[in-house]
């Protein structure tokens, strides 16, 4: 996404927000403001990606949701969110060079920003706030997006009606597999 590529191109330099780790030239107030804007932009990119989300990915999320409903009824959306964020988004942010987003590893400043974005995503999915006082501005962004993330996770866990009869092109060599067959293949 555009905000991640901007971070990795060192457009922002150091955005250290922890006063204890800031360099003398760092303006932590300006940095947290910039980081907050970047985090919101990343959240918007994720929320706006739903129409481009691959059907098979939505099928897997739907299956996870259905499988967890009995055991984790009160937190099934968090389970789906943990799967998406930890397996895909955080992994891509933490090591973009290993996940096909970049050809080479980002610099230390960019990597620190990516780690902070990843932590913000994890907190968003878990509906938790940052404990550090210097992260308070990010808490406001998190709180403003809790409902949007829940809606995103609910929607990504639903297979669009016009796709509900056809799932992946093949499972075990069968063409046009029905949902029940696909779910059975996932269990094996």
């Amino acid at each position: 996404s555009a905000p991640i590529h901007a971070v990795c191109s060192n457009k922002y330099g150091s955005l250290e927000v922890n006063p204890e780790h800031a360099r003398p030239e760092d303006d932590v107030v300006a940095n947290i403001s910039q980081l907050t804007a970047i985090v919101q932009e990343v959240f918007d990119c994720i929320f706006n990606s739903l129409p481009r989300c691959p059907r098979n990915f939505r099928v897997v999320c739907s299956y996870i949701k259905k499988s967890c409903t009995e055991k984790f009824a009160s937190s099934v959306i968090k389970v789906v969110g943990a799967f998406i964020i930890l397996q895909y988004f955080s992994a891509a942010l933490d090591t973009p060079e290993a996940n096909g987003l970049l050809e080479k590893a980002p610099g230390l400043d960019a990597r620190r920003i990516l780690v902070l974005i990843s932590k913000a995503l994890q907190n968003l999915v878990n509906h938790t706030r940052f404990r550090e006082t210097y992260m308070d501005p990010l808490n406001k962004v998190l709180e403003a997006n809790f409902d949007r993330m829940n809606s995103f996770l609910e929607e990504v866990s639903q297979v669009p009606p016009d796709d509900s009869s056809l799932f992946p092109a093949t499972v075990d060599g069968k063409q046009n597999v029905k949902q029940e067959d696909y779910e059975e293949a996932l269990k094996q």
Side-chain angles (χ1 to χ4, degrees):
S1 73
I4 300 305
H5 286 288
V7 166
C8 292
S9 71
N10 288 321
K11 174 181 178 180
Y12 303 105
S14 171
L15 286 184
E16 183 55 64
V17 294
N18 183 341
E20 294 179 17
H21 297 165
R23 300 175 204 149
E25 65 271 16
D26 285 333
D27 180 349
V28 293
V29 173
N31 288 353
I32 192 69
S33 177
Q34 184 65 57
L35 180 63
T36 299
I38 294 167
V39 165
Q40 182 61 59
E41 193 175 352
V42 169
F43 289 175
D44 290 340
C45 286
I46 290 170
F47 300 144
N48 295 332
S49 72
L50 192 59
R52 295 181 314 278
C53 185
R55 178 181 59 159
N56 292 349
F57 185 77
R58 292 180 77 162
V59 169
V60 170
C61 291
S62 174
Y63 181 74
I64 291 170
K65 182 180 175 187
K66 287 176 188 174
S67 298
C68 295
T69 300
E70 273 186 44
K71 290 184 180 180
F72 308 106
S74 64
S75 58
V76 70
I77 287 302
K78 286 185 181 180
V79 173
V80 173
F83 166 73
I84 294 170
I85 299 304
L86 295 175
Q87 294 297 316
Y88 293 95
F89 293 119
S90 288
L93 289 169
D94 293 344
T95 54
E97 70 281 5
N99 287 284
L101 297 178
L102 298 175
E103 289 183 21
K104 62 179 185 166
L108 293 178
D109 289 338
R111 189 161 310 272
R112 171 74 173 142
I113 297 168
L114 294 174
V115 166
L116 291 172
I117 294 168
S118 179
K119 287 181 178 184
L121 274 170
Q122 291 172 32
N123 284 8
L124 182 64
V125 166
N126 293 319
H127 285 230
T128 57
R129 298 170 45 92
F130 285 102
R131 293 183 187 134
E132 303 90 343
T133 56
Y134 59 87
M135 297 294 272
D136 274 345
L138 271 176
N139 286 332
K140 293 173 185 161
V141 171
L142 292 172
E143 291 168 0
N145 286 283
F146 284 152
D147 289 340
R148 287 181 74 197
M149 179 54 85
N150 285 347
S151 295
F152 172 81
L153 294 172
E154 283 287 350
E155 261 191 83
V156 80
S157 299
Q158 296 174 8
V159 180
D162 50 311
D163 287 342
S164 62
S165 63
L166 299 177
F167 281 74
T170 63
V171 172
D172 296 333
K174 299 177 186 175
Q175 293 292 320
N176 297 329
V177 177
K178 293 184 180 178
Q179 181 174 1
E180 298 81 30
D181 295 337
Y182 185 69
E183 289 175 354
E184 186 60 36
L186 285 175
K187 290 178 187 176
Q188 299 175 357

